[in-house]
mmCIF file with all atom_site columns, all heavy atoms in Angstrom:
data_model
loop_
_atom_site.group_PDB
_atom_site.id
_atom_site.type_symbol
_atom_site.label_atom_id
_atom_site.label_alt_id
_atom_site.label_comp_id
_atom_site.label_asym_id
_atom_site.label_entity_id
_atom_site.label_seq_id
_atom_site.pdbx_PDB_ins_code
_atom_site.Cartn_x
_atom_site.Cartn_y
_atom_site.Cartn_z
_atom_site.occupancy
_atom_site.B_iso_or_equiv
_atom_site.pdbx_formal_charge
_atom_site.auth_seq_id
_atom_site.auth_comp_id
_atom_site.auth_asym_id
_atom_site.auth_atom_id
_atom_site.pdbx_PDB_model_num
ATOM 1   N N   . HIS B 1 85 ? -13.612 4.865  -1.993 1.00 0.00 ? 85 HIS B N   1
ATOM 2   C CA  . HIS B 1 85 ? -13.009 5.888  -1.150 1.00 0.00 ? 85 HIS B CA  1
ATOM 3   C C   . HIS B 1 85 ? -13.219 7.265  -1.764 1.00 0.00 ? 85 HIS B C   1
ATOM 4   O O   . HIS B 1 85 ? -13.483 7.395  -2.956 1.00 0.00 ? 85 HIS B O   1
ATOM 5   C CB  . HIS B 1 85 ? -11.511 5.619  -0.963 1.00 0.00 ? 85 HIS B CB  1
ATOM 6   C CG  . HIS B 1 85 ? -11.261 4.436  -0.086 1.00 0.00 ? 85 HIS B CG  1
ATOM 7   N ND1 . HIS B 1 85 ? -10.011 3.840  0.005  1.00 0.00 ? 85 HIS B ND1 1
ATOM 8   C CD2 . HIS B 1 85 ? -12.049 3.751  0.753  1.00 0.00 ? 85 HIS B CD2 1
ATOM 9   C CE1 . HIS B 1 85 ? -10.078 2.815  0.854  1.00 0.00 ? 85 HIS B CE1 1
ATOM 10  N NE2 . HIS B 1 85 ? -11.304 2.742  1.329  1.00 0.00 ? 85 HIS B NE2 1
ATOM 11  N N   . SER B 1 86 ? -13.036 8.297  -0.962 1.00 0.00 ? 86 SER B N   1
ATOM 12  C CA  . SER B 1 86 ? -13.196 9.676  -1.464 1.00 0.00 ? 86 SER B CA  1
ATOM 13  C C   . SER B 1 86 ? -12.138 9.938  -2.549 1.00 0.00 ? 86 SER B C   1
ATOM 14  O O   . SER B 1 86 ? -11.108 9.255  -2.619 1.00 0.00 ? 86 SER B O   1
ATOM 15  C CB  . SER B 1 86 ? -12.998 10.687 -0.336 1.00 0.00 ? 86 SER B CB  1
ATOM 16  O OG  . SER B 1 86 ? -11.632 10.715 0.058  1.00 0.00 ? 86 SER B OG  1
ATOM 17  N N   . THR B 1 87 ? -12.419 10.932 -3.362 1.00 0.00 ? 87 THR B N   1
ATOM 18  C CA  . THR B 1 87 ? -11.505 11.275 -4.466 1.00 0.00 ? 87 THR B CA  1
ATOM 19  C C   . THR B 1 87 ? -10.114 11.582 -3.952 1.00 0.00 ? 87 THR B C   1
ATOM 20  O O   . THR B 1 87 ? -9.110  11.132 -4.532 1.00 0.00 ? 87 THR B O   1
ATOM 21  C CB  . THR B 1 87 ? -12.057 12.491 -5.229 1.00 0.00 ? 87 THR B CB  1
ATOM 22  O OG1 . THR B 1 87 ? -13.416 12.267 -5.507 1.00 0.00 ? 87 THR B OG1 1
ATOM 23  C CG2 . THR B 1 87 ? -11.314 12.713 -6.527 1.00 0.00 ? 87 THR B CG2 1
ATOM 24  N N   . ARG B 1 88 ? -10.076 12.358 -2.860 1.00 0.00 ? 88 ARG B N   1
ATOM 25  C CA  . ARG B 1 88 ? -8.744  12.732 -2.335 1.00 0.00 ? 88 ARG B CA  1
ATOM 26  C C   . ARG B 1 88 ? -8.004  11.524 -1.820 1.00 0.00 ? 88 ARG B C   1
ATOM 27  O O   . ARG B 1 88 ? -6.785  11.409 -1.990 1.00 0.00 ? 88 ARG B O   1
ATOM 28  C CB  . ARG B 1 88 ? -8.872  13.760 -1.209 1.00 0.00 ? 88 ARG B CB  1
ATOM 29  C CG  . ARG B 1 88 ? -9.380  15.091 -1.678 1.00 0.00 ? 88 ARG B CG  1
ATOM 30  C CD  . ARG B 1 88 ? -8.875  16.254 -0.816 1.00 0.00 ? 88 ARG B CD  1
ATOM 31  N NE  . ARG B 1 88 ? -9.626  17.462 -1.080 1.00 0.00 ? 88 ARG B NE  1
ATOM 32  C CZ  . ARG B 1 88 ? -9.470  18.228 -2.163 1.00 0.00 ? 88 ARG B CZ  1
ATOM 33  N NH1 . ARG B 1 88 ? -8.584  17.904 -3.077 1.00 0.00 ? 88 ARG B NH1 1
ATOM 34  N NH2 . ARG B 1 88 ? -10.194 19.314 -2.321 1.00 0.00 ? 88 ARG B NH2 1
ATOM 35  N N   . ARG B 1 89 ? -8.724  10.624 -1.175 1.00 0.00 ? 89 ARG B N   1
ATOM 36  C CA  . ARG B 1 89 ? -8.057  9.428  -0.650 1.00 0.00 ? 89 ARG B CA  1
ATOM 37  C C   . ARG B 1 89 ? -7.574  8.516  -1.777 1.00 0.00 ? 89 ARG B C   1
ATOM 38  O O   . ARG B 1 89 ? -6.502  7.928  -1.700 1.00 0.00 ? 89 ARG B O   1
ATOM 39  C CB  . ARG B 1 89 ? -9.009  8.658  0.280  1.00 0.00 ? 89 ARG B CB  1
ATOM 40  C CG  . ARG B 1 89 ? -8.288  7.513  0.953  1.00 0.00 ? 89 ARG B CG  1
ATOM 41  C CD  . ARG B 1 89 ? -9.035  6.912  2.075  1.00 0.00 ? 89 ARG B CD  1
ATOM 42  N NE  . ARG B 1 89 ? -8.412  5.647  2.442  1.00 0.00 ? 89 ARG B NE  1
ATOM 43  C CZ  . ARG B 1 89 ? -8.991  4.739  3.214  1.00 0.00 ? 89 ARG B CZ  1
ATOM 44  N NH1 . ARG B 1 89 ? -10.169 4.966  3.740  1.00 0.00 ? 89 ARG B NH1 1
ATOM 45  N NH2 . ARG B 1 89 ? -8.351  3.618  3.487  1.00 0.00 ? 89 ARG B NH2 1
ATOM 46  N N   . GLN B 1 90 ? -8.395  8.423  -2.823 1.00 0.00 ? 90 GLN B N   1
ATOM 47  C CA  . GLN B 1 90 ? -7.972  7.622  -3.989 1.00 0.00 ? 90 GLN B CA  1
ATOM 48  C C   . GLN B 1 90 ? -6.677  8.192  -4.570 1.00 0.00 ? 90 GLN B C   1
ATOM 49  O O   . GLN B 1 90 ? -5.759  7.451  -4.920 1.00 0.00 ? 90 GLN B O   1
ATOM 50  C CB  . GLN B 1 90 ? -9.057  7.624  -5.063 1.00 0.00 ? 90 GLN B CB  1
ATOM 51  C CG  . GLN B 1 90 ? -10.264 6.783  -4.727 1.00 0.00 ? 90 GLN B CG  1
ATOM 52  C CD  . GLN B 1 90 ? -11.284 6.783  -5.870 1.00 0.00 ? 90 GLN B CD  1
ATOM 53  O OE1 . GLN B 1 90 ? -10.923 6.514  -7.012 1.00 0.00 ? 90 GLN B OE1 1
ATOM 54  N NE2 . GLN B 1 90 ? -12.542 7.084  -5.559 1.00 0.00 ? 90 GLN B NE2 1
ATOM 55  N N   . GLU B 1 91 ? -6.623  9.496  -4.678 1.00 0.00 ? 91 GLU B N   1
ATOM 56  C CA  . GLU B 1 91 ? -5.439  10.154 -5.223 1.00 0.00 ? 91 GLU B CA  1
ATOM 57  C C   . GLU B 1 91 ? -4.211  9.813  -4.378 1.00 0.00 ? 91 GLU B C   1
ATOM 58  O O   . GLU B 1 91 ? -3.154  9.453  -4.897 1.00 0.00 ? 91 GLU B O   1
ATOM 59  C CB  . GLU B 1 91 ? -5.694  11.661 -5.259 1.00 0.00 ? 91 GLU B CB  1
ATOM 60  C CG  . GLU B 1 91 ? -4.649  12.484 -5.959 1.00 0.00 ? 91 GLU B CG  1
ATOM 61  C CD  . GLU B 1 91 ? -4.599  12.251 -7.460 1.00 0.00 ? 91 GLU B CD  1
ATOM 62  O OE1 . GLU B 1 91 ? -5.539  11.647 -8.024 1.00 0.00 ? 91 GLU B OE1 1
ATOM 63  O OE2 . GLU B 1 91 ? -3.596  12.690 -8.078 1.00 0.00 ? 91 GLU B OE2 1
ATOM 64  N N   . SER B 1 92 ? -4.382  9.921  -3.084 1.00 0.00 ? 92 SER B N   1
ATOM 65  C CA  . SER B 1 92 ? -3.289  9.622  -2.152 1.00 0.00 ? 92 SER B CA  1
ATOM 66  C C   . SER B 1 92 ? -2.878  8.164  -2.234 1.00 0.00 ? 92 SER B C   1
ATOM 67  O O   . SER B 1 92 ? -1.681  7.839  -2.249 1.00 0.00 ? 92 SER B O   1
ATOM 68  C CB  . SER B 1 92 ? -3.775  9.996  -0.743 1.00 0.00 ? 92 SER B CB  1
ATOM 69  O OG  . SER B 1 92 ? -2.981  9.385  0.222  1.00 0.00 ? 92 SER B OG  1
ATOM 70  N N   . ASP B 1 93 ? -3.860  7.259  -2.333 1.00 0.00 ? 93 ASP B N   1
ATOM 71  C CA  . ASP B 1 93 ? -3.558  5.818  -2.416 1.00 0.00 ? 93 ASP B CA  1
ATOM 72  C C   . ASP B 1 93 ? -2.821  5.508  -3.698 1.00 0.00 ? 93 ASP B C   1
ATOM 73  O O   . ASP B 1 93 ? -1.861  4.717  -3.696 1.00 0.00 ? 93 ASP B O   1
ATOM 74  C CB  . ASP B 1 93 ? -4.859  5.003  -2.379 1.00 0.00 ? 93 ASP B CB  1
ATOM 75  C CG  . ASP B 1 93 ? -5.551  5.065  -1.025 1.00 0.00 ? 93 ASP B CG  1
ATOM 76  O OD1 . ASP B 1 93 ? -4.893  5.406  -0.018 1.00 0.00 ? 93 ASP B OD1 1
ATOM 77  O OD2 . ASP B 1 93 ? -6.769  4.787  -0.983 1.00 0.00 ? 93 ASP B OD2 1
ATOM 78  N N   . LEU B 1 94 ? -3.244  6.116  -4.801 1.00 0.00 ? 94 LEU B N   1
ATOM 79  C CA  . LEU B 1 94 ? -2.585  5.841  -6.087 1.00 0.00 ? 94 LEU B CA  1
ATOM 80  C C   . LEU B 1 94 ? -1.152  6.366  -6.071 1.00 0.00 ? 94 LEU B C   1
ATOM 81  O O   . LEU B 1 94 ? -0.244  5.718  -6.570 1.00 0.00 ? 94 LEU B O   1
ATOM 82  C CB  . LEU B 1 94 ? -3.393  6.456  -7.255 1.00 0.00 ? 94 LEU B CB  1
ATOM 83  C CG  . LEU B 1 94 ? -4.712  5.750  -7.540 1.00 0.00 ? 94 LEU B CG  1
ATOM 84  C CD1 . LEU B 1 94 ? -5.530  6.531  -8.579 1.00 0.00 ? 94 LEU B CD1 1
ATOM 85  C CD2 . LEU B 1 94 ? -4.474  4.343  -8.068 1.00 0.00 ? 94 LEU B CD2 1
ATOM 86  N N   . MET B 1 95 ? -0.967  7.541  -5.484 1.00 0.00 ? 95 MET B N   1
ATOM 87  C CA  . MET B 1 95 ? 0.390   8.089  -5.426 1.00 0.00 ? 95 MET B CA  1
ATOM 88  C C   . MET B 1 95 ? 1.273   7.197  -4.570 1.00 0.00 ? 95 MET B C   1
ATOM 89  O O   . MET B 1 95 ? 2.461   7.010  -4.882 1.00 0.00 ? 95 MET B O   1
ATOM 90  C CB  . MET B 1 95 ? 0.380   9.502  -4.802 1.00 0.00 ? 95 MET B CB  1
ATOM 91  C CG  . MET B 1 95 ? -0.019  10.590 -5.786 1.00 0.00 ? 95 MET B CG  1
ATOM 92  S SD  . MET B 1 95 ? 1.114   10.707 -7.206 1.00 0.00 ? 95 MET B SD  1
ATOM 93  C CE  . MET B 1 95 ? 0.604   12.291 -7.867 1.00 0.00 ? 95 MET B CE  1
ATOM 94  N N   . HIS B 1 96 ? 0.727   6.613  -3.531 1.00 0.00 ? 96 HIS B N   1
ATOM 95  C CA  . HIS B 1 96 ? 1.463   5.693  -2.683 1.00 0.00 ? 96 HIS B CA  1
ATOM 96  C C   . HIS B 1 96 ? 1.914   4.485  -3.492 1.00 0.00 ? 96 HIS B C   1
ATOM 97  O O   . HIS B 1 96 ? 3.051   4.033  -3.423 1.00 0.00 ? 96 HIS B O   1
ATOM 98  C CB  . HIS B 1 96 ? 0.620   5.289  -1.461 1.00 0.00 ? 96 HIS B CB  1
ATOM 99  C CG  . HIS B 1 96 ? 1.338   4.434  -0.482 1.00 0.00 ? 96 HIS B CG  1
ATOM 100 N ND1 . HIS B 1 96 ? 1.851   4.922  0.707  1.00 0.00 ? 96 HIS B ND1 1
ATOM 101 C CD2 . HIS B 1 96 ? 1.670   3.113  -0.501 1.00 0.00 ? 96 HIS B CD2 1
ATOM 102 C CE1 . HIS B 1 96 ? 2.423   3.932  1.373  1.00 0.00 ? 96 HIS B CE1 1
ATOM 103 N NE2 . HIS B 1 96 ? 2.329   2.825  0.682  1.00 0.00 ? 96 HIS B NE2 1
ATOM 104 N N   . GLU B 1 97 ? 0.992   3.935  -4.249 1.00 0.00 ? 97 GLU B N   1
ATOM 105 C CA  . GLU B 1 97 ? 1.331   2.769  -5.066 1.00 0.00 ? 97 GLU B CA  1
ATOM 106 C C   . GLU B 1 97 ? 2.364   3.121  -6.123 1.00 0.00 ? 97 GLU B C   1
ATOM 107 O O   . GLU B 1 97 ? 3.297   2.350  -6.388 1.00 0.00 ? 97 GLU B O   1
ATOM 108 C CB  . GLU B 1 97 ? 0.064   2.211  -5.744 1.00 0.00 ? 97 GLU B CB  1
ATOM 109 C CG  . GLU B 1 97 ? -0.977  1.677  -4.786 1.00 0.00 ? 97 GLU B CG  1
ATOM 110 C CD  . GLU B 1 97 ? -0.421  0.644  -3.834 1.00 0.00 ? 97 GLU B CD  1
ATOM 111 O OE1 . GLU B 1 97 ? 0.106   -0.386 -4.295 1.00 0.00 ? 97 GLU B OE1 1
ATOM 112 O OE2 . GLU B 1 97 ? -0.501  0.853  -2.604 1.00 0.00 ? 97 GLU B OE2 1
#
Side-chain angles (χ1 to χ4, degrees):
Chain B
H85 288 166
S86 71
T87 311
R88 292 210 194 284
R89 187 167 166 194
Q90 287 183 50
E91 188 68 13
S92 161
D93 292 340
L94 288 172
M95 281 299 194
H96 184 102
E97 296 305 302

